[in-house]
Amino acid sequence: MNEIVKKKQIVVIAEHRQGNITPVTGETLSLARELGRILDLETTIIIPGISMENQASHTAGTTGMNVIGIKGEGLELYNCEAYLEALTGLLKTADLHYIILPHTAMGYDLAPRLAVRLKASCITAVEQLSGKGESVTFLRSQWNGKIILEVALLTERKVVTVLPGSWPALDEKPEKPGQVTIIPFESFTKHSKTTGIKEAGRTEFDLTKADVIVAAGRGLRKEENLPVIYELSGIFPKSAVGASRAACDAGWFDYGRQIGITGKTVSPKLYIACGISGSTQHIAGMKGSQMVVAINTDPAASIFGIADYCIVEDLTTFIPCLLEEYGIFSRRQDSE
Amino acid sequence: MKILVCIKQVPDSEGVLSISNSGKGTEFEGTYRMNHFDEFALEEALRIRENMPVESIDAVSVGPARIESTIRKALEMGASRGIHIITEGEDHISPLETATRIASFAGEGGYDLILAGVMAEDDMQSQVGPMIAEMLGYPSASSVICEEIDPEKGILYAEREIESGVRECLEMKLPALLTIQSGINRPRYPALSNVLRARAQEITVLVAHPGAKPEKREEIVTFRYPETTSKGLFLEGDKKEKARELIHILHEKSII
Ligand SMILES: Cc1cc2nc3c(=O)[nH]c(=O)nc-3n(C[C@H](O)[C@H](O)[C@H](O)COP(=O)(O)OP(=O)(O)OC[C@H]3O[C@@H](n4cnc5c(N)ncnc54)[C@H](O)[C@@H]3O)c2cc1C
Ligand SMILES: Nc1ncnc2c1ncn2[C@@H]1O[C@H](COP(=O)(O)O)[C@@H](O)[C@H]1O
């Protein structure tokens, strides 16, 4: 096994869905490449699965990195137990430095267990790298982005997950393709089995076609405040109402209106975030908006970091005031 | 059936969080509360108990003396027992240490099901749950949005939420650990009778053994504020002035 994963390497665990390597895996490879340049390490990509031969040679061609396919029953869909078994067999004895995964439902499910099993350090949702010579540190957010931590990993083996959207997808024109190795795997997993994938089946709202989205978060505070959000949305043609996950959890909105990494991705001309703190998971779904207005009582809210126009006010009193001023404005327009 | 729920006390986002002068830690002024994701986990345990015989629902938390109020909140919601693994001071506790503390307690407890939140709102690491499962050799699934238990067969059916509205379905053998995603249920407000009961109830305090602390694997070099890359303009004035300015801007941009 040591022969396959050669000395001191970076290993990236590829994520795939319906036979395709996911775009976030490409972002993860970019971090690996950056890290590899600083530390002079090579990267090997591991694809667990049942029929990954085509993916493997394609990936080896587009990245120039070596690819290992771990092939066996029980790996066609992601399953934590099966993946752990497949990977530790290969990684335990290898003399490697970094194991990098995307910070997705696969990555944050697998990484902590892998770290415990390999006695590795573990850092999740990394957004930036800071390299000075041989020493590398990782930056990640706390508190919905209000504080940034710079973290050094102290052990020989390190497990890292990469926050989606933090690196561009790897875009390389390698001179020659990487080497492909397929190794068979026989699973002995007994405690857990992934039985399938299904769509959540939510009511659909056409958020993706709206020019203007007025989105509400937990700052709405209570159901009685809902009308102001709909009224504000009502002043714009082709508009829709969206929500943060927290606002959906509160029962104020249907989950079909949720924007973010586990909801919809939108890119309207105007996004008005009302009482939304700006968690990375929410921002992932709306950062393509052409213009962002944020209304929040907290001047330090992270949403202001990506907003074009920032309004530090209580939405429950500010929006009614805005609607009133809009009334005056539109009457004046009409009379002109 | 015995259930353990891991709960964390976090600073409420309405308080003021700042970096201490040393740059080596954070300071917080405001109130503390239960991590929202853990409220969903505890509620899920309570709902399981409404559907099948459950011997006890224990709520465990690791941290300094102040976290007692959150453990009491868990009792108010309906947990049978509160366990406080007490640590000294406000130093940052690594996920590995938290998981080690909880696993060494849970290992003795014979729990059939352990629930945690998918993420702590303050540190946002999503590590503690799966780490506990690994230490105990339990199967685990994170970001669970729906679960059902067949107590006779000892099997748990779970759906976990993956990206963009898709779910992964799995079957696991008990004992198992789940980390719970928000929206799986609607957490209850404590009933008055439970609040009164909880007030008088004893919380089991376990002192975290300094010797049992795992070796440090990560080191926080600095805490810093995000670089304000904000190109954003903060509108000035009173409400009315801000409202007028915003309307003016939207009009200029031909949005209204
Ligand atoms: C795996 C995973 C996936 C997730 N996916 C998503 C996702 O797809 N989408 C999503 O949105 N979240 C998602 N989340 C949740 C996310 O981490 C946050 O918890 C959530 O986005 C917070 O919502 P919020 O901003 O509405 O609430 P909070 O973070 O509680 O923020 C409320 C804000 O309102 C402000 N406020 C309070 N009162 C007022 C007032 N009267 N007027 C104006 N402002 C006020 C506060 O200052 C605060 O900034 C996910 C989490 C996990 C772990
Ligand atoms: N100090 C703690 N005490 C008890 N449970 C915790 C603690 N820290 C984290 N957890 C649990 O682990 C989950 C994930 O936390 P984290 O890995 O820090 O994001 C939380 O939702 C809690 O259920």
Side-chain angles (χ1 to χ4, degrees):
Chain A
M1 291 283 185
N2 277 351
E3 317 279 285
I4 300 171
V5 180
K6 290 192 214 79
K7 292 218 110 178
K8 301 277 187 214
Q9 292 235 1
I10 298 171
V11 160
V12 170
I13 316 296
E15 181 184 56
H16 52 88
R17 215 145 272 159
Q18 291 164 331
N20 296 311
I21 304 278
T22 57
V24 282
T25 301
E27 299 173 15
T28 307
L29 289 171
S30 285
L31 162 73
R33 167 65 26 112
E34 193 182 328
L35 193 61
R37 290 216 169 107
I38 299 171
L39 300 175
D40 194 23
L41 295 175
E42 263 185 47
T43 298
T44 297
I45 304 167
I46 298 186
I47 312 178
I50 186 84
S51 61
M52 80 299 286
E53 288 83 353
N54 290 342
Q55 282 170 25
S57 55
H58 178 76
T59 308
T62 52
T63 61
M65 295 170 179
N66 293 340
V67 179
I68 299 175
I70 308 181
K71 185 183 167 78
E73 299 280 338
L75 296 176
E76 58 265 55
L77 293 172
Y78 168 73
N79 177 273
C80 187
E81 201 185 1
Y83 266 50
L84 273 173
E85 212 183 314
L87 291 168
T88 39
L90 188 64
L91 301 178
K92 208 159 196 164
T93 51
D95 186 14
L96 50 91
H97 262 163
Y98 286 91
I99 301 159
I100 310 181
L101 307 91
H103 190 72
T104 55
M106 172 192 87
Y108 61 72
D109 196 54
L110 186 60
R113 293 195 72 142
L114 204 52
V116 169
R117 203 169 282 198
L118 298 174
K119 299 188 169 54
S121 48
C122 188
I123 182 168
T124 49
V126 163
E127 290 165 56
Q128 230 181 300
L129 192 65
S130 171
K132 300 171 204 87
E134 286 285 275
S135 86
V136 170
T137 53
F138 295 90
L139 271 56
R140 68 182 305 278
S141 299
Q142 267 192 342
W143 263 114
N144 283 346
K146 279 192 179 175
I147 291 191
I148 309 293
L149 294 188
E150 184 181 347
V151 182
L153 303 179
L154 307 176
T155 50
E156 189 70 9
R157 287 180 177 167
K158 306 160 179 82
V159 174
V160 177
T161 70
V162 182
L163 190 73
S166 306
W167 271 268
L170 187 72
D171 182 17
E172 300 238 300
K173 306 259 175 317
E175 282 161 26
K176 59 178 179 52
Q179 204 184 320
V180 176
T181 317
I182 305 288
I183 48 180
F185 164 74
E186 202 183 327
S187 172
F188 296 100
T189 52
K190 287 192 182 64
H191 304 286
S192 133
K193 181 169 83 192
T194 304
T195 51
I197 296 281
K198 71 178 200 190
E199 296 288 327
R202 294 171 169 168
T203 327
E204 286 303 313
F205 296 92
D206 223 340
L207 289 177
T208 45
K209 286 195 192 122
D211 282 345
V212 177
I213 293 178
V214 178
R218 187 153 25 217
L220 192 63
R221 288 173 179 259
K222 47 180 194 246
E223 193 153 7
E224 289 84 89
N225 293 326
L226 265 173
V228 296
I229 299 297
Y230 285 95
E231 277 173 47
L232 179 57
S233 163
I235 72 174
F236 304 101
K238 284 196 77 183
S239 64
V241 168
S244 74
R245 185 171 185 113
C248 297
D249 292 338
W252 302 330
F253 300 96
D254 189 283
Y255 282 98
R257 294 194 188 275
Q258 184 194 313
I259 291 163
I261 205 153
T262 48
K264 296 255 157 54
T265 303
V266 296
S267 45
K269 293 196 177 112
L270 171 64
Y271 191 89
I272 308 184
C274 311
I276 292 178
S277 61
S279 65
T280 50
Q281 293 96 352
H282 185 81
I283 289 175
M286 49 67 72
K287 64 171 178 241
S289 307
Q290 283 170 37
M291 181 172 145
V292 177
V293 173
I295 306 166
N296 198 303
T297 41
D298 177 6
S302 327
I303 191 78
F304 288 138
I306 61 143
D308 301 278
Y309 299 100
C310 312
I311 298 168
V312 182
E313 286 291 347
D314 181 334
L315 74 93
T316 59
T317 52
F318 178 74
I319 299 177
C321 173
L322 181 65
L323 291 166
E324 199 179 304
E325 289 300 321
Y326 175 74
I328 298 169
F329 163 84
S330 56
R331 279 194 295 278
R332 201 183 306 134
Q333 291 279 304
D334 289 345
S335 64
E336 266 170 23
Chain B
M1 171 95 78
K2 277 181 81 181
I3 305 177
L4 180 69
V5 185
C6 307
I7 54 168
K8 185 178 188 188
Q9 185 182 66
V10 297
D12 188 79
S13 49
E14 307 231 326
V16 180
L17 189 71
S18 56
I19 295 169
S20 58
N21 289 336
S22 65
K24 292 281 175 205
T26 51
E27 280 163 11
F28 177 70
E29 246 175 81
T31 53
Y32 289 90
R33 59 164 167 81
M34 192 186 298
N35 182 36
H36 281 123
F37 296 99
D38 305 347
E39 277 183 34
F40 287 95
L42 178 54
E43 176 64 36
E44 199 58 20
L46 299 171
R47 289 184 187 208
I48 293 170
R49 188 171 62 187
E50 284 160 11
N51 280 318
M52 65 187 71
V54 168
E55 194 186 317
S56 75
I57 297 174
D58 297 349
V60 65
S61 193
V62 181
R66 66 168 157 80
I67 71 168
E68 193 201 313
S69 58
T70 297
I71 301 173
R72 202 154 302 277
K73 169 81 190 291
L75 295 174
E76 290 174 2
M77 280 177 73
S80 340
R81 198 159 74 104
I83 296 104
H84 184 173
I85 303 178
I86 201 159
T87 57
E88 288 279 327
E90 290 289 340
D91 285 352
H92 185 264
I93 310 174
S94 74
L96 185 71
E97 182 181 350
T98 306
T100 306
R101 303 279 185 217
I102 295 176
S104 70
F105 163 76
E108 318 262 284
Y111 293 101
D112 304 284
L113 181 64
I114 302 180
L115 301 180
V118 61
M119 171 181 100
E121 288 167 284
D122 52 357
D123 292 343
M124 307 178 76
Q125 303 183 104
S126 299
Q127 290 194 31
V128 171
M131 280 186 166
I132 296 171
E134 180 63 29
M135 290 167 185
L136 297 176
Y138 284 20
S140 66
S142 46
S143 210
V144 169
I145 194 73
C146 162
E147 58 75 29
E148 216 180 296
I149 295 169
D150 183 336
E152 260 96 75
K153 291 206 188 102
I155 284 180
L156 181 143
Y157 170 82
E159 289 178 12
R160 55 191 298 263
E161 199 176 66
I162 58 176
E163 287 66 32
S164 41
V166 180
R167 293 177 177 188
E168 231 165 55
C169 311
L170 359 71
E171 270 174 26
M172 297 197 268
K173 275 203 191 125
L174 296 177
L177 182 144
L178 307 179
T179 79
I180 301 295
Q181 173 60 295
S182 70
I184 187 170
N185 53 41
R186 195 78 58 72
R188 69 194 62 191
Y189 289 106
L192 184 64
S193 56
N194 272 344
V195 174
L196 296 176
R197 179 185 60 91
R199 205 171 285 168
Q201 207 173 328
E202 196 95 21
I203 288 173
T204 309
V205 177
L206 305 172
V207 179
H209 205 290
K213 189 172 169 159
E215 215 171 304
K216 196 153 120 184
R217 295 185 184 173
E218 303 90 17
E219 174 151 37
I220 301 174
V221 184
T222 52
F223 287 83
R224 62 171 89 140
Y225 296 109
E227 284 161 35
T228 35
T229 47
S230 171
K231 47 187 174 19
L233 176 73
F234 278 83
L235 305 190
E236 307 268 349
D238 62 15
K239 275 193 184 58
K240 216 174 202 163
E241 287 162 333
K242 287 177 188 161
R244 283 186 186 155
E245 193 178 348
L246 182 60
I247 289 165
H248 178 70
I249 293 162
L250 297 179
H251 184 57
E252 292 249 288
K253 308 246 175 211
S254 311
I255 294 173
I256 49 173

